[in-house]
Amino acid sequence: MDTKNCVIYCRQSTGANKQRNSISIQIDTMRAFAKSNGYTVIAEYKEYLSGTIVDRPVLMEAINHAVKADAFILILRVDRLMRDLKGYALIEPYVDRFRFAQLGDRPVDLFTFTVLLSLAQNESKIISLRTSMAMRKLRDNDGRSFGNPNIASF
C-alpha cells in the first residue's frame, strides 16, 4: 500500500431517522482524520445494523472494496466496527487494514483490539439490560405496553 487510499466505514445501531447525527458526525470526523493523516478517501460506507450482528453486508462490502483497491479501512472506534467477539474470526485476516481514529494512524495490535472489542461487547450487554429495566419500569409504573398488542391473535 504505497499510496494511502482508504474507505471509510460508519455504523449505527438504529435506522437513519433515529440518532440523526450519528453517521454524519462519524463521516465528518473520519474525513478530517483521513485528510490530516494523508489518506485519499475512495469510498464511504454507511450501515444501520447492530454491532452485535456479525454478518453485516455493508461491512463485508467495505472490506472487499479495500482489499481490491489495496486500501485502508478507516473507522471512528472499535465499537463502530462491531460489538461481538465472535466477529473477530471474520475480520482477523484484514485487521492490518483497519485504522481507528480513537487509536491514531497506526496498525492496531491484537491485545488492544481484543480488549476494546471485549469492552464494546460488554457495553452492548449493559445497554440491553438498562433498556430492558427501563421498559419494565414503564410497564409496571405507567401500564405502558410495547410491541404489537395484536400479535397474539395471529
Side-chain angles (χ1 to χ4, degrees):
M1 291 185 238
D2 295 331
T3 60
K4 287 178 67 171
N5 288 331
C6 72
V7 300
I8 292 174
Y9 174 79
C10 300
R11 182 195 62 77
Q12 77 180 43
S13 297
T14 58
N17 60 338
K18 293 184 179 179
Q19 297 178 326
R20 294 174 199 239
N21 296 320
S22 178
I23 290 286
S24 64
I25 290 169
Q26 288 179 61
I27 289 285
D28 291 347
T29 303
M30 296 319 302
R31 286 176 182 162
F33 178 83
K35 184 177 181 180
S36 68
N37 288 285
Y39 289 94
T40 300
V41 178
I42 59 172
E44 295 175 354
Y45 291 88
K46 303 170 191 172
E47 190 152 53
Y48 300 93
L49 281 175
S50 170
T52 62
I53 297 171
V54 174
D55 184 25
R56 283 182 276 128
V58 176
L59 173 59
M60 292 315 301
E61 187 179 342
I63 290 172
N64 290 333
H65 188 162
V67 169
K68 287 178 186 168
D70 196 25
F72 292 95
I73 304 164
L74 304 186
I75 303 172
L76 182 62
R77 298 184 314 260
V78 171
D79 71 336
R80 297 298 84 206
L81 173 63
M82 65 181 44
R83 289 182 178 269
D84 195 318
L85 286 164
K86 291 180 285 197
Y88 181 75
L90 178 71
I91 62 159
E92 190 273 330
Y94 315 106
V95 169
D96 62 322
R97 294 186 180 277
F98 291 109
R99 297 295 182 269
F100 298 97
Q102 80 182 121
L103 301 174
D105 184 26
R106 63 180 180 84
V108 62
D109 62 89
L110 178 63
F111 178 76
T112 302
F113 184 75
T114 55
V115 166
L116 291 172
L117 188 54
S118 296
L119 290 170
Q121 181 172 330
N122 188 61
E123 182 183 34
S124 178
K125 289 180 179 184
I126 291 169
I127 290 168
S128 179
L129 178 62
R130 187 178 65 224
T131 301
S132 295
M133 290 171 65
M135 290 173 67
R136 187 176 309 119
K137 182 175 179 158
L138 289 171
R139 184 187 65 231
D140 293 347
N141 293 347
D142 301 342
R144 294 187 194 183
S145 60
F146 299 95
N148 183 348
N150 299 319
I151 202 158
S153 64
F154 289 108

